[in-house]
Amino acid sequence: MEIANITTRVKTYIQGLDDNMQGGIPQGHVTLVCGSAGTMKSSLCFNVLYNEAVNGKIGLYISLEQSAKSLLAHMANMGYDFNKINLVVIKDLGNLKKEIDALKASKKGTIIITDIGAIRKEIRDINVTSANAGWLNVIKNVARKIKMDVGFDHFVLDSMSALYVLSKFENPRIELFYIFEFMRDLGITSFLISEMPLDNSKYAEYDVEDYLADGIIYLRLTRFRRDVVREISIVKMRGTNCNNDVFSFEYKKGQFHALYGGQNPLL
Amino acid sequence: MGGFGSALKKIFNQKRGHLVSAWKFRSHTILFSSSVVEDIDNDQQDEILFGTKTGEITCLTMQGMPKWKFNVHENLTETEMFFFDPESMNAINASPLVTDINNDGKKEVIFGSETGNVYCLNHFGQLLWKYKAESSIKGAVADFTLNGKSFLVFGSIDQHLYVLNSAGNMVWKIKAKSVIESTPCVMHDHILFGTDDGTLYCVDFKGNLLWGYKTKGKIIAQPVVEKLQGTDEYTVVVGSYDGYLYAFDMSGNLKWKFNAFGPIAEKVTLCDVNSDNKQEIFFGSCNNLIYALNCNGDKLWEYETNFWVVAPVIVADIDNDGRFEVIAGSYDNAVYVLDSEGKYDLDYVPGLSGVVQQAGHYTDIMTQDPGNVVGTKILDYQSDGIIVGMAYSQKNNVFIVNEKQGEVEALSFVEEKG
Ligand SMILES: Nc1ncnc2c1ncn2[C@@H]1O[C@H](COP(=O)(O)OP(=O)(O)OP(=O)(O)O)[C@@H](O)[C@H]1O
Ligand SMILES: [Mg+2]
């Protein structure tokens, strides 16, 4: 019996990588996308949501640090055609329902960007924000509401590191366990972006995220003489026979590529 | 005094019996804290009051019949709702305060909730007033009297300590450096409270800081202030999540600390169980142990349960033999009735038996005495769930046990004849 064959997989849309991991990430997995600043973590995740949206799927992108405006400017520069999909930006929690209801009629796939920075500005005068669990609840409740109203398939949290600044975790091991369980219970495929320290000493803040996650994608900038090359590797992917080697990683003509061995122009 | 005398007394006097369940009330929600047992309506009968995760305060008779129920039911704006876990939005996290706050000769019921509201109900369960703090309230509300007037004091997740008058208007608030989950304790114009950064603060009735002491874990337990030594000197006793129990004088000087090896979540219980005119200290910890200490912080005995002991420990003479028992509920679902003085372990022969192994405790090999006092179980009762709260009605000699899954159970001691 081949259990792996039954698994529905979500493509990473990185040419050369999906073939090395049985076609993609098993649906419902929680994957940690780790890397230091500028390693294209956000771009990689957005790319998955975009391509899935082109195929009619709904993705929720929660941005805690980068404003939706800056994120979309970056993505436009990368060459994405936003006419192919619905793009919804949530900047005010009071509008969430209206925005979601408007989606119900549409047949196109969608990316819903929730701009937590803008929401914070919007509700400065509401006092509930000092509650430790407050922002985590916001994220969970946004996800719950969207799940109930229109349903969604993919989830990106950008980033865990920013979440830790916003809600102080008293008991990270336990709280993170419940966050991961929450995402699994929603039945969505999740990408959690984790900003790594520059010395790359650990994948995430509390040393438990990597155990809790079903998969880890590691992005890196490596110096080769005077050149700096981008690299990508799958550190782990549960339920998947995958190649854990380090690939060169590049974005060309609207497509991510994972290049291997002889294909690497530098080697 | 301890030792042989009381050991012998115990052999002859200990009554045999067990705890039986008188009734069980199912609240169909989650409970976080102990019930309060108090005669709130002057009918000479105790009532039982408890709060729930769904935001209800229920008042039961000692027979387990509901008298009234109050549901906090806050209407939040759509935006505000996003900040709460929908299931525990209205949760009442701690035991209510039952006291006559407005001097009308009847008691009121005062408690805070997850939405940050403090409610004051009359003894019929009708709302007299409510006050909105900036954020969630995890601890209970305490009260004090100043110049003949009553005041309420409580802490909030918004890091403030609030003082309200008896009409529910804020008199002052001060900001601590961290979240306040603890219940304040008031003694002689001193207000003591713990914060999540591990500090025990002492402020006066105007909110001026008198002193602070920083421990290494958060303090959510209510401090207890009492004359421990049999003298006029007061001692502050409080446990921390760093696993230590601390004792201070009223100026904030550390008198001693005791390593309990596990977070301490609830206030200690004090009682002079051996008639030495000094208070002994009883408490549970999250390394599964129930401890008895003397007033100098020396361990008298310990008893190991199978899981955390979070609910406050009760000291009472349940079998009416003139001696105190220690009653504690554990997360292992059991209620333990222990000998308050422990038992002199006569089995011990130095050099021969080495470590005497009894379930859950050990005696040191290197001891001078030909024996050791060990925590001793008289009996236990297996309930159906994790025990989060314990209360006692002296009038009825009944224990009110709160289980996390929503059950409130009354236990009483029944003597075995023959
Ligand atoms: N075609 C392109 N258009 C724009 N940026 C590109 C392009 N190709 C590569 N990049 C690089 O992408 C990087 C930013 O990507 P992205 O924001 O996804 O990274 P990140 O790891 O999320 O960064 P941060 O740590 O700032 O969140 C920039 O350093 C930019 O140079
Ligand atoms: Mg980014």
Side-chain angles (χ1 to χ4, degrees):
Chain A
M1 197 176 72
E2 283 259 63
I3 295 172
N5 285 348
I6 310 166
T7 311
T8 313
R9 288 178 188 269
V10 178
K11 283 190 207 154
T12 63
Y13 296 94
I14 301 167
Q15 206 171 66
L17 195 67
D18 286 328
D19 307 339
N20 272 298
M21 51 188 299
Q22 293 184 276
I25 298 166
Q27 195 174 45
H29 263 29
V30 180
T31 301
L32 218 51
V33 178
C34 320
S36 50
T39 47
M40 303 190 85
K41 306 177 292 294
S42 304
S43 310
L44 184 158
C45 295
F46 191 90
N47 185 58
V48 175
L49 293 199
Y50 177 83
N51 283 291
E52 288 285 296
V54 170
N55 295 331
K57 295 282 196 322
I58 300 180
L60 172 60
Y61 192 109
I62 298 210
S63 184
L64 282 93
E65 253 164 337
Q66 200 175 5
S67 69
K69 198 174 156 197
S70 148
L71 183 73
L72 288 172
H74 173 73
M75 297 310 161
N77 193 49
M78 301 263 296
Y80 291 105
D81 179 1
F82 293 134
N83 291 318
K84 289 187 180 165
I85 61 166
N86 293 313
L87 196 60
V88 178
V89 179
I90 308 287
K91 289 182 177 172
D92 178 348
L93 291 172
N95 287 342
L96 182 65
K97 197 174 157 39
K98 209 168 62 200
E99 304 267 15
I100 300 301
D101 283 346
L103 282 176
K104 283 179 180 162
S106 173
K107 289 253 164 0
K108 273 198 257 181
T110 303
I111 297 179
I112 305 166
I113 299 178
T114 304
D115 186 336
I116 297 285
I119 293 171
R120 286 177 70 184
K121 276 187 215 136
E122 189 65 37
I123 54 147
R124 240 176 315 196
D125 47 327
I126 293 185
N127 283 325
V128 284
T129 51
S130 47
N132 267 351
W135 287 102
L136 184 56
N137 282 334
V138 169
I139 292 167
K140 286 181 173 175
N141 287 332
V142 165
R144 269 192 203 110
K145 266 215 157 65
I146 296 174
K147 184 77 191 175
M148 259 164 41
D149 282 7
V150 287
F152 69 107
D153 308 287
H154 311 297
F155 175 75
V156 174
L157 179 64
D158 190 357
S159 63
M160 293 294 273
S161 327
L163 178 64
Y164 297 151
V165 175
L166 223 46
S167 341
K168 287 191 186 59
F169 289 178
E170 254 165 43
N171 217 326
R173 282 168 177 266
I174 294 172
E175 281 163 82
L176 283 165
F177 172 82
Y178 285 118
I179 295 174
F180 280 70
E181 283 304 294
F182 172 81
M183 285 180 292
R184 291 198 183 101
D185 289 348
L186 281 181
I188 47 176
T189 309
S190 313
F191 298 86
L192 306 182
I193 295 179
S194 171
E195 177 106 11
M196 285 171 75
L198 273 175
D199 63 358
N200 292 346
S201 53
K202 51 184 180 182
Y203 292 119
E205 182 73 20
Y206 292 113
D207 288 334
V208 285
E209 295 93 328
D210 39 342
Y211 296 110
L212 293 171
D214 300 305
I216 300 177
I217 297 176
Y218 178 27
L219 299 170
R220 194 160 63 147
L221 288 164
T222 304
R223 233 182 91 172
F224 186 81
R225 303 221 176 90
R226 288 184 188 215
D227 301 301
V228 175
V229 287
R230 295 184 185 281
E231 292 178 331
I232 187 168
S233 62
I234 310 292
V235 176
K236 82 167 187 185
M237 192 57 65
R238 287 181 182 145
T240 303
N241 177 11
C242 70
N243 182 341
N244 299 102
D245 292 343
V246 176
F247 296 79
S248 293
F249 183 53
E250 59 177 46
Y251 185 77
K252 261 194 190 136
K253 296 189 191 114
Q255 175 72 49
F256 277 106
H257 300 270
L259 308 165
Y260 189 44
Q263 292 173 284
N264 190 328
L266 290 167
L267 294 174
Chain B
M1 293 298 285
F4 284 106
S6 65
L8 290 176
K9 196 165 121 198
K10 192 174 322 152
I11 291 163
F12 295 118
N13 282 1
Q14 188 68 63
K15 288 182 188 166
R16 289 160 59 87
H18 43 261
L19 286 175
V20 293
S21 175
W23 49 260
K24 207 174 217 188
F25 179 87
R26 290 180 176 82
S27 69
H28 302 290
T29 163
I30 303 286
L31 304 180
F32 296 125
S33 56
S34 299
S35 289
V36 172
V37 175
E38 193 101 30
D39 176 10
I40 62 163
D41 47 15
N42 300 331
D43 65 350
Q44 311 307 319
Q45 303 288 316
D46 277 347
E47 280 81 33
I48 299 162
L49 288 135
F50 61 91
T52 69
K53 182 176 175 179
T54 44
E56 280 169 356
I57 284 279
T58 303
C59 177
L60 302 179
T61 65
M62 278 313 288
Q63 289 70 45
M65 301 304 290
K67 262 194 154 167
W68 52 259
K69 205 185 239 184
F70 175 85
N71 196 323
V72 304
H73 221 84
E74 284 304 322
N75 287 321
L76 299 183
T77 67
E78 203 176 328
T79 302
E80 281 173 326
M81 293 241 271
F82 274 98
F83 286 86
F84 293 96
D85 175 349
E87 283 179 8
S88 60
M89 220 172 73
N90 283 304
I92 298 163
N93 298 298
S95 310
L97 168 72
V98 178
T99 185
D100 180 9
I101 189 76
N102 53 13
N103 286 316
D104 64 350
K106 311 236 171 53
K107 285 180 179 151
E108 284 77 45
V109 179
I110 301 133
F111 56 95
S113 83
E114 190 68 21
T115 53
N117 284 288
V118 172
Y119 303 84
C120 178
L121 313 181
N122 65 16
H123 67 278
F124 298 116
Q126 293 156 333
L127 184 69
L128 297 179
W129 53 257
K130 69 178 178 184
Y131 172 84
K132 175 94 173 68
E134 281 185 21
S135 190
S136 303
I137 299 162
K138 301 285 186 188
V141 181
D143 66 318
F144 63 90
T145 309
L146 178 63
N147 303 329
K149 292 197 180 98
S150 297
F151 295 91
L152 298 166
V153 57
F154 63 93
S156 163
I157 293 293
D158 67 23
Q159 309 188 358
H160 285 89
L161 185 80
Y162 292 81
V163 169
L164 310 183
N165 65 17
S166 59
N169 302 310
M170 191 181 68
V171 183
W172 54 259
K173 65 175 180 179
I174 49 163
K175 192 163 191 269
K177 286 206 190 80
S178 173
V179 167
I180 307 171
E181 284 186 70
S182 67
T183 302
C185 161
V186 184
M187 177 61 81
H188 289 319
D189 61 19
H190 288 56
I191 302 172
L192 293 132
F193 62 98
T195 63
D196 278 12
D197 70 4
T199 310
L200 176 69
Y201 286 103
C202 181
V203 299
D204 66 15
F205 278 176
K206 292 199 173 79
N208 301 308
L209 181 68
L210 300 176
W211 53 266
Y213 183 96
K214 197 159 188 314
T215 71
K216 294 198 176 75
K218 66 176 180 174
I219 297 180
I220 66 165
Q222 184 183 24
V224 171
V225 183
E226 206 35 85
K227 291 175 185 167
L228 279 190
Q229 324 268 359
T231 64
D232 278 343
E233 195 198 339
Y234 282 91
T235 303
V236 181
V237 182
V238 68
S240 163
Y241 265 45
D242 67 9
Y244 281 88
L245 188 75
Y246 294 84
F248 304 93
D249 66 18
M250 288 305 269
S251 310
N253 302 305
L254 182 69
K255 295 175 98 166
W256 50 260
K257 60 178 185 175
F258 172 81
N259 191 353
F261 295 102
I264 301 164
E266 262 289 357
K267 63 179 177 194
V268 299
T269 303
L270 302 175
C271 183
D272 178 10
V273 296
N274 55 10
S275 315
D276 63 352
N277 235 357
K278 292 170 182 154
Q279 304 287 316
E280 283 75 48
I281 303 164
F282 303 90
F283 65 100
S285 95
C286 294
N287 78 336
N288 311 353
L289 289 158
I290 300 159
Y291 289 100
L293 311 183
N294 69 16
C295 63
N296 300 316
D298 305 315
K299 186 172 75 188
L300 298 173
W301 53 259
E302 65 184 33
Y303 182 85
E304 188 173 9
T305 74
N306 296 311
F307 207 1
W308 303 341
V309 181
V310 173
V313 168
I314 292 165
V315 182
D317 179 10
I318 67 163
D319 51 9
N320 202 21
D321 64 350
R323 303 182 69 255
F324 287 105
E325 283 80 39
V326 170
I327 301 91
S330 164
Y331 266 42
D332 71 10
N333 298 8
V335 174
Y336 295 86
V337 177
L338 309 175
D339 191 311
S340 64
E341 291 181 75
K343 198 169 175 180
Y344 211 60
D345 185 7
L346 298 166
D347 301 338
Y348 179 75
V349 181
L352 246 185
S353 55
V355 177
V356 177
Q357 281 294 351
Q358 289 195 10
H361 22 75
Y362 65 89
T363 55
D364 293 323
I365 307 170
M366 304 301 288
T367 155
Q368 298 273 287
D369 302 320
N372 231 332
V373 177
V374 293
T376 308
K377 184 175 81 182
I378 298 170
L379 58 102
D380 62 15
Y381 176 84
Q382 293 296 324
S383 79
D384 295 333
I386 288 172
I387 296 171
V388 293
M390 294 282 293
Y392 180 60
S393 167
Q394 190 151 13
K395 257 180 224 165
N396 304 275
N397 194 24
V398 165
F399 297 97
I400 305 300
V401 178
N402 287 9
E403 290 161 26
K404 187 169 181 202
Q405 292 306 324
E407 300 191 337
V408 177
E409 189 170 20
L411 301 181
S412 55
F413 179 78
V414 174
E415 204 180 320
E416 241 166 58
K417 302 277 186 244

